[in-house]
Amino acid sequence: MNLNPHSPETEPDADASFGDRRRFLQTATLLVLGGATTALLGSQAEAATKATSKTTTKQAKRTTAQKSATSKAAGSQPATTLVKATSDAANVSIPSETGGPFPADGTNGANVLTQTGVVRSDVRSSFGASTTTAAGVLLTVKLVVRNASTAKPMRGAAIYIWHCDADGNYSMYSDATVNENYLRGVQEANADGALTFTTIFPGAYPGRWPHIHFEVYPTLASARTAANAIKTSQLAFPEEACKLAYADNSYRASSGNLAGTSLARDNVFRDGWKQQLATVTGDAKNGLVATLTFAV
């Protein structure tokens, strides 16, 4: 038995000890560096998550603000832009109606149809001795006339329209407008049976729903006397359109007169108005557009 304390069997190996310490230090270093890297990456990830969260929150706030602004803008628009749909019964003849007491077509005194200047699209002003322009909300009237038997457009047909002013007066008849001939005119239909008038929204007078009178003639040359008319009828307006127009100061009395009647009580339209009720779009500030397709 070797009892030498420095015998190779009992003496520690210096190189082995050094190697173990080096490996330990390397491992410790790696662990420290790994922990630091993990901490750094975790910190960066947390920061990125917070930044993304903030960006998403800001975008959500912007989207909400944009939606709110859009909603407010929409709310500022006129409540009614399309107030009624028209009948599409192109092969059903529109009902015949009275021309009323103020036609100026030769059946009741004056005849504007023989006057030079009556063939025109813009009927807002008088022509001839007076050039007075009727006040009121701008109204464009678009008509399409078809043959009731064939449903085809009546090319070359002529239409004469007339109606009261914002105060309920008819030119050439009422005391206040006897020297005027505004809000009366004749137009010839094109190849599509279409024609357009520029006028003002008619007023409402006691006992009658707002309306426009019109007569249809087979040709422009025949539109000289009511005896040649092949149809006399009236165009009606939806209540919503009337209220839009009557908010204008030009129609001080019309709003009250409108409230005193209805289509159902009107002595002309109470038996049915589907084929005579125009489609109306637009607003009182920029003008209303009334469209009616009918057959005769």
Side-chain angles (χ1 to χ4, degrees):
M1 176 181 298
N2 187 357
L3 298 177
N4 185 351
H6 298 290
S7 169
E9 294 183 6
T10 59
E11 180 69 17
D13 188 339
D15 291 337
S17 297
F18 177 76
D20 290 339
R21 287 194 299 271
R22 184 172 58 187
R23 283 192 293 273
F24 172 78
L25 291 173
Q26 288 176 341
T27 301
T29 300
L30 289 174
L31 289 173
V32 171
L33 291 175
T37 300
T38 301
L40 177 60
L41 291 175
S43 176
Q44 291 176 338
E46 183 180 358
T49 301
K50 289 181 178 180
T52 301
S53 178
K54 288 182 179 180
T55 300
T56 302
T57 301
K58 289 181 179 179
Q59 290 175 340
K61 287 181 178 179
R62 283 198 297 269
T63 300
T64 301
Q66 290 171 349
K67 288 182 178 179
S68 178
T70 301
S71 178
K72 289 180 180 179
S76 66
Q77 299 301 312
T80 307
T81 55
L82 178 60
V83 290
K84 191 65 183 180
T86 186
S87 168
D88 59 357
N91 60 342
V92 178
S93 183
I94 193 169
S96 295
E97 306 290 6
T98 176
F102 314 118
D105 59 3
T107 59
N108 187 18
N111 187 357
V112 75
L113 298 175
T114 61
Q115 297 181 14
T116 301
V118 71
V119 179
R120 57 195 183 139
S121 60
D122 191 335
V123 302
R124 290 175 295 176
S125 299
S126 290
F127 59 92
S130 174
T131 56
T132 301
T133 299
V137 171
L138 176 66
L139 175 67
T140 301
V141 180
K142 296 184 176 182
L143 303 175
V144 177
V145 56
R146 296 177 179 174
N147 184 298
S149 299
T150 65
K152 293 182 178 180
M154 290 185 62
R155 178 177 184 174
I159 295 182
Y160 164 47
I161 71 165
W162 71 97
H163 64 85
C164 71
D165 62 17
D167 293 323
N169 296 315
Y170 282 88
S171 66
M172 304 179 72
Y173 290 90
S174 301
D175 291 342
T177 56
V178 68
N179 295 319
E180 307 295 343
N181 55 17
Y182 54 47
L183 309 182
R184 300 178 184 274
V186 177
Q187 276 285 285
E188 183 180 22
N190 63 18
D192 297 319
L195 46 89
T196 300
F197 290 96
T198 300
T199 185
I200 64 165
F201 200 93
Y205 50 89
R208 280 305 318 272
W209 190 257
H211 60 281
I212 291 180
H213 295 270
F214 65 90
E215 291 173 342
V216 181
Y217 293 83
T219 64
L220 183 61
S222 66
R224 304 278 293 176
T225 174
N228 297 330
I230 57 177
K231 177 67 70 173
T232 300
S233 192
Q234 297 181 27
L235 177 154
F237 295 92
E239 183 176 4
E240 296 91 336
C242 299
K243 289 180 177 179
L244 281 177
Y246 294 169
D248 186 87
N249 290 332
S250 301
Y251 299 87
R252 286 181 291 272
S254 292
S255 182
N257 291 331
L258 180 73
T261 186
S262 67
L263 280 165
R265 295 198 303 273
D266 184 82
N267 61 9
V268 170
F269 299 123
R270 63 188 176 193
D271 59 350
W273 58 81
K274 181 179 180 181
Q275 292 172 259
Q276 297 161 279
L277 192 62
T279 295
V280 181
T281 59
D283 56 66
K285 180 180 178 180
N286 300 301
L288 296 167
V289 179
T291 304
L292 183 69
T293 296
F294 63 94
V296 298

